[in-house]
Amino acid sequence: MASSAVMQVLVIDDEPSLRDSLSQSLMLADYTTLPLASAEQALELLRRDTPFYGVVITDIRMPGMDGLSLLRAARELDDELPVIVMTGHGDIDTAVAAMQAGAWDFIEKPFDRERLLDGVRRAVAARRLALENRSLREQLETQRNSAGPRLVGSSEVIQRLDAQVSRLARVDADTLLFGETGAGKDRVARCLHERSARASRPFVALNCGGMPETLIESELFGHEKGAFTGASARRIGKLEHADGGTLFLDEIESMPLSLQIKLLRVLQERSIERLGSNTPHPIDIRVIAATKRDLREAASAGEFREDLYYRLNVVTLYLPPLREHAEDILQLFRHFAILASERTSLEVPPLDATTLQALLAHDWPGNVRELRNCAERHVLLGGLEGNIGDSMAEGRPLGRSLDRATEEVPASLEGSMTAATQGQPLPVRMEAFEAALICEALAACQGQVVMACEQLGLPRKTLYDKLKKHGLSAEPYRR
């Protein structure tokens, strides 16, 4: 499905006058229609263009294949395809049968124009969301089936980091990852492991700041029975368990100095001795260490061993904070939302304009981890309505939802967007401003895309491309 595809409405009726009347009403409301005279023609088109990027309106009583048969056949092809059926006035039994067969809605003839447009508007919005979620899931599955996981993001800085990870994965050099909290150091470590020849062997992670100093040595090196009080049996440590694979030491700046010298010896000799034993055990591991602190500065301050720093610093990968690749925010948000949707079996709600602007304007001090939490809340709560970051917990909305056509667009758009994106990189501010301009035009034109194109001076296809890029829809603005 092309990103520039236009949502279509397939109209099936054997009566030319009703078919033309329906099509004209929909075209006046700025929908693209495909009028057909028979269910057989419609089914042939649906089979050829699966998944169909649009919705279906069909009469029930037609020569040959009737509307109910078409409904059932269409649902077999795609059970998420909205099919609206038209029934005669008072034909309750047929309407009930259609709804039981999975019809999205039914409309009585002669149809009321506003009732028709309301049903189509809801069906189109549901179809667009279903296809967008399906597309994102397909992208996720493609990524899972590729040669090792990919880093999510299209920015130059992330593409460069991904290339560096692929290159380093082919060699066994110990690697140091440097980045702020939440920048994705654990993700990069797993990518290095899963793209390497060690991918089938263990990936063992240890947070050096997550346990007391008295336990971390035993956790790393293991111990023999009776090595200390409470050591009732032999225990294999993380280093030995990672044999043949990768050991990931997160927050290595928190490792006690007394243990750093022992780790240095392991890195040099590639062998360990369990606590309570004098027998060396050779190990074949790759060590990836991660830190949010400049270890050279820590070494100068006497808080980290300088020799361990130089031993780890064979290769250092810098992980940029999210504010340095803010153009990836929406792509990452949708990626995490799909993951949350798969885990919870909840649909991903559409992004309203205010939330989109708030996502781009937020400074994301918690980086990708904070963005992931925000995307999960979006799925769990059915939308954020502009509430992101800490404002969610404190109940302070960052803005009003623009998903209702009756809501007002800010009078001073330029001023409001300048304030919202102050301090952000120019590409991010341009993206947010463009999205806001489109929302303003759609609101002023009551969701009529043709009129919005004229106001913005854009070809229709270009505006549809931009709506897709920003995750926007004209539907909420139509009255």
Side-chain angles (χ1 to χ4, degrees), residues 85-359:
V85 298
M86 294 182 292
T87 63
H89 178 68
D91 195 353
I92 302 301
D93 291 341
T94 302
V96 170
M99 299 304 286
Q100 289 176 339
W104 169 264
D105 198 357
F106 71 93
I107 298 172
E108 285 188 328
K109 295 189 293 184
F111 63 88
D112 175 77
R113 182 177 183 275
E114 292 305 317
R115 170 76 175 84
L116 168 71
L117 294 180
D118 179 65
V120 171
R121 180 162 49 244
R122 290 183 291 107
V124 165
R127 182 57 170 170
R128 179 175 284 111
L129 179 62
L131 290 177
E132 185 174 292
N133 289 345
R134 189 182 300 178
S135 174
L136 288 169
R137 287 193 175 93
E138 288 171 356
Q139 293 173 27
L140 188 62
E141 192 61 31
T142 299
Q143 182 185 119
R144 285 171 177 162
N145 294 333
S146 64
R150 308 294 295 177
L151 300 179
V152 180
S154 304
S155 63
E156 182 180 349
V157 65
I158 291 300
Q159 291 300 307
R160 185 167 60 248
L161 177 61
D162 193 74
Q164 291 172 335
V165 167
S166 292
R167 184 178 181 87
L168 283 175
R170 297 195 293 266
V171 296
D172 255 352
D174 294 335
T175 304
L176 183 63
L177 307 180
F178 176 53
E180 294 180 6
T181 296
K185 296 185 287 292
D186 53 346
R187 172 70 171 175
V188 171
R190 287 188 178 274
C191 285
L192 282 167
H193 172 74
E194 293 178 23
R195 297 186 200 178
S196 73
R198 297 178 179 268
S200 62
R201 303 294 295 163
F203 176 87
V204 181
L206 177 68
N207 189 317
C208 300
M211 62 182 59
E213 182 176 345
T214 53
L215 294 180
I216 191 170
E217 184 173 6
S218 173
E219 192 72 18
L220 267 176
F221 292 90
H223 59 255
E224 297 288 351
K225 180 179 179 181
F228 50 82
T229 302
S232 57
R234 173 187 291 176
R235 186 179 187 279
I236 300 299
K238 299 288 189 184
L239 284 162
E240 197 170 350
H241 181 56
D243 189 27
T246 302
L247 177 69
F248 175 48
L249 298 174
D250 199 6
E251 296 189 37
I252 195 166
E253 71 275 9
S254 302
M255 179 176 284
L257 286 168
S258 59
L259 194 57
Q260 290 180 25
I261 184 61
K262 296 182 179 181
L263 177 61
L264 176 62
R265 182 177 297 173
V266 170
L267 294 178
Q268 291 171 339
E269 299 178 3
R270 278 336 199 232
S271 69
I272 61 110
E273 293 177 6
R274 303 188 194 112
L275 296 184
S277 170
N278 294 319
T279 305
H281 296 273
I283 55 172
D284 171 24
I285 61 170
R286 178 184 192 169
V287 175
I288 301 174
T291 178
K292 59 180 179 291
R293 185 178 179 188
D294 187 327
L295 293 185
R296 180 180 295 176
E297 290 183 359
S300 299
E303 297 170 356
F304 196 84
R305 290 191 63 93
E306 191 172 24
D307 48 4
L308 179 58
Y309 164 68
Y310 286 115
R311 186 64 184 81
L312 287 170
N313 192 29
V314 178
V315 178
T316 297
L317 286 181
Y318 170 68
L319 278 63
L322 188 53
R323 62 183 175 274
E324 291 184 8
H325 58 109
E327 58 267 46
D328 293 325
I329 287 173
L330 295 183
Q331 184 180 354
L332 283 162
F333 183 88
R334 293 189 179 105
H335 173 79
F336 292 138
I338 286 295
L339 289 177
S341 172
E342 287 191 339
R343 191 174 65 255
T344 61
S345 299
L346 297 172
E347 285 296 325
V348 179
L351 278 174
D352 60 67
T354 298
T355 302
L356 184 147
Q357 292 168 17
L359 288 171

Side-chain angles (χ1 to χ4, degrees), residues 370-392:
E370 182 186 1
L371 181 62
R372 179 171 190 151
N373 291 342
C374 185
E376 290 181 352
R377 285 199 301 272
H378 178 67
V379 173
L380 293 172
L381 299 176
L384 295 174
E385 296 186 350
N387 294 301
I388 60 172
D390 292 337
S391 65
M392 187 63 166

